[in-house]
Amino acid sequence: MAIWSMFVEGISALLAQLAQMLDGSFGLAIIVLALFVRLMLLPMTLKVAEQGWHRQRQMAALKPKLEHLRELHAKDPAAYASATQALYREHGVTAGLGSSLRVAVVQAPIGAGIYAAIRQGVAGAGAFLWIPKLARPDLWLAVIVAALSLAAMLLNPSMPEQTRTLLQLLPVVISFVVVWHLAAGLGLYWAGSTSVNLLQILLLRRRIRRMPS
């Protein structure tokens, strides 16, 4: 607990220093911190996203063979599972959980610490742009975050076309509801982080376009 408290206090001090450098704007300090943290993690998260896209392509290519195995072992689930794993090994398809877990292990404590520091700091923070008080929720900020989330979902090349209509709205609705009930200072961090996520998707699309057919 002592280490965690020191971590949160360190982030709080960093936010206060940033705000002082930015003419006393705590809101702008939150956005700068969000962009800095996510851009620092971008090489790692972009690599994981690219690996996920390749894995999806491999799975799509193996779909006919998987259907054949399902029919062949319809009455023997254990044999089907074994044959499926053998097929994955033959074609070099991995679960990809290791890379995703590493990203989560890095992001989770950083995000939790920043959120705790912002929650402490917004109590004494004032206005920012159209937001009258950063300690209170803001409807338009929730709308902006939801719009950024929707753009990221629509542009994400890793999402199959047939599932986009069904799945894309749920994260958007969740982000809107959550940000609408958060302090606006936390919503600003979410907006900055989502903006970098959108940048990551655009970079992924650019890499995909440059790959040989």
Side-chain angles (χ1 to χ4, degrees), residues 60-73:
L62 292 176
K63 188 175 180 180
K65 293 183 178 181
L66 289 170
E67 291 292 340
H68 175 70
L69 290 177
R70 185 177 291 110
E71 294 175 3
L72 188 64
H73 302 290

Side-chain angles (χ1 to χ4, degrees), residues 55-211:
R55 189 159 49 251
Q56 179 186 316
R57 297 271 292 181
Q58 289 175 312
M59 294 293 291
L62 292 176
K63 188 175 180 180
K65 293 183 178 181
L66 289 170
E67 291 292 340
H68 175 70
L69 290 177
R70 185 177 291 110
E71 294 175 3
L72 188 64
H73 302 290
K75 298 182 180 180
D76 191 346
Y80 170 68
S82 178
T84 299
Q85 291 302 318
L87 181 66
Y88 288 165
R89 286 194 299 270
E90 179 184 350
H91 292 272
V93 179
T94 60
L97 295 177
S99 299
S100 300
L101 183 60
R102 283 194 297 272
V103 171
V105 167
V106 172
Q107 284 186 314
I110 293 175
I114 291 173
Y115 268 56
I118 293 173
R119 192 179 295 110
Q120 293 176 8
V122 293
F128 177 68
L129 297 178
W130 70 88
I131 304 171
K133 195 169 181 61
L134 289 175
R136 296 176 182 173
D138 183 80
L139 175 60
W140 285 111
L141 181 59
V143 171
I144 290 171
V145 172
L148 289 170
S149 300
L150 178 60
M153 295 295 293
L154 291 173
L155 293 172
N156 190 353
S158 297
M159 179 174 291
E161 292 289 342
Q162 62 270 25
T163 62
R164 289 191 178 193
T165 313
L166 298 175
L167 296 180
Q168 66 193 17
L169 292 180
L170 183 58
V172 174
V173 172
I174 290 174
S175 64
F176 173 79
V177 172
V178 171
V179 174
W180 195 12
H181 288 82
L182 286 176
L186 294 169
L188 285 175
Y189 184 84
W190 195 322
S193 182
T194 305
S195 298
V196 179
N197 186 48
L198 181 56
L199 171 63
Q200 174 180 299
I201 289 170
L202 294 174
L203 291 174
L204 177 59
R205 291 175 65 91
R206 183 182 180 186
R207 287 190 178 186
I208 291 171
R209 284 197 302 267
R210 291 184 173 183
M211 291 177 185

